[in-house]
Amino acid sequence: MKVVLLQDVKSLGKKDDIVNVSDGYARNYLFPRKLAAEATAGKLNEISDKKSSLENKKKKELEEAKALAERLSKIELVIKTKAGVNGKLFGSITGKDIAELIKQKHKIEIDKKKIVLDDAIKALGTQDVEVKVYPEVSAKIKVTVTEE
């Protein structure tokens, strides 16, 4: 019997998957627990519509992310801060500082968690900082730290 899973079922499949199961398993376990529904033509159409709309939404988000990454890659930030004699900063520049500066100067909202820094910036100079915009889309921002 073909059924459409309404929830994730361990060792059987994920939500909206169409699977073949025995009649008894479907009637005695899956249907009473509302884990699956019979795969009728209407249900199959509904699932395909849902999948296509989800695909379109993901495509649109990916295109928006690529456009944002392109805008971000053109950004060069200059941060002025106090530094010691050897060019070592008093304090450090973190992802939060970079995100706030991008928001102030370029009016682009970026979550501080999406800014990838191995360690906080603790010295004067120029560094390329990666910003993860979308799971497979990232941009590099040039950050220059100068003495105040």
Side-chain angles (χ1 to χ4, degrees):
M1 170 183 276
K2 279 192 174 188
V3 296
V4 176
L5 297 178
L6 302 175
Q7 296 178 16
D8 291 354
V9 178
K10 192 174 182 179
S11 75
L12 194 57
K14 298 203 177 276
K15 183 179 179 181
D16 293 335
D17 282 353
I18 300 165
V19 293
N20 267 328
V21 295
S22 67
D23 292 354
Y25 184 61
R27 273 192 233 106
N28 296 324
Y29 183 77
L30 296 175
F31 295 161
R33 288 173 176 76
K34 304 223 187 311
L35 297 174
E38 195 167 348
T40 60
K43 199 71 163 166
L44 294 176
N45 285 340
E46 182 182 321
I47 298 260
S48 67
D49 289 346
K50 192 186 286 186
K51 283 185 180 179
S52 66
S53 69
L54 187 66
E55 246 179 60
N56 290 339
K57 182 180 176 189
K58 282 189 176 186
K59 274 185 188 176
K60 185 178 177 188
E61 285 177 351
L62 183 64
E63 288 174 14
E64 289 173 359
K66 284 181 180 178
L68 179 62
E70 195 173 312
R71 281 181 57 199
L72 286 173
S73 63
K74 295 176 185 173
I75 291 177
E76 291 185 27
L77 293 177
V78 177
I79 301 173
K80 295 183 180 185
T81 186
K82 293 183 181 180
V85 180
N86 329 2
K88 195 170 182 181
L89 301 181
F90 296 128
S92 62
I93 308 296
T94 62
K96 181 180 177 186
D97 299 326
I98 295 170
E100 287 175 2
L101 200 62
I102 291 172
K103 184 178 177 183
Q104 286 175 358
K105 292 191 176 183
H106 300 281
K107 310 269 188 289
I108 300 173
E109 282 276 344
I110 293 179
D111 187 15
K112 66 182 180 183
K113 295 173 190 159
K114 294 189 178 200
I115 296 175
V116 179
L117 283 173
D118 295 332
D119 227 1
I121 300 172
K122 297 180 182 178
L124 296 176
T126 303
Q127 236 183 347
D128 285 334
V129 176
E130 185 179 0
V131 178
K132 294 205 180 244
V133 183
Y134 201 70
E136 296 158 7
V137 179
S138 62
K140 294 256 186 212
I141 297 176
K142 188 170 278 193
V143 177
T144 305
V145 182
T146 61
E147 194 169 357
E148 196 170 64

